[in-house]
């Protein structure tokens, strides 16, 4: 699972950097005080968290 965690962390970091570059006036972070709210990555490694795969969507079918 280490490669998965590394990929998720890298994607979060890229997303935040892209957001800051494109929407510098809009805050981004974990919690209600931000304009754009992020998922708390700490929840991914918490012993209290359970993750259930609820569906798979082929990336070539996702519309932006």
């Amino acid at each position: 699972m280490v490669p998965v965690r590394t990929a998720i962390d890298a994607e979060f970091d890229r997303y935040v950097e892209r957001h800051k570059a494109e929407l510098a006036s809009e805050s981004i972070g974990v919690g209600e005080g931000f304009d754009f709210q992020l998922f708390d990555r700490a929840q991914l490694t918490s012993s209290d968290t359970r993750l259930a795969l609820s569906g798979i969507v082929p990336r070539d079918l996702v519309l932006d």
Side-chain angles (χ1 to χ4, degrees):
M1 292 303 293
V2 172
V4 173
R5 176 64 191 265
T6 301
I8 290 171
D9 284 342
E11 184 57 33
F12 264 94
D13 293 340
R14 281 191 297 272
Y15 180 81
V16 170
E17 290 305 315
R18 187 170 53 246
H19 175 88
K20 288 180 178 180
E22 295 174 4
L23 299 167
S25 65
E26 302 287 335
S27 63
I28 186 169
V30 176
E32 294 181 16
F34 295 94
D35 297 316
F36 287 82
Q37 295 181 13
L38 295 175
F39 177 79
D40 186 354
R41 288 188 265 183
Q43 295 297 322
L44 292 175
T45 56
S46 170
S47 61
D48 295 328
T49 300
R50 298 292 179 260
L51 181 65
L53 179 61
S54 59
I56 299 173
V57 177
R59 291 183 65 105
D60 59 342
L61 296 180
V62 176
L63 303 175
D64 289 330

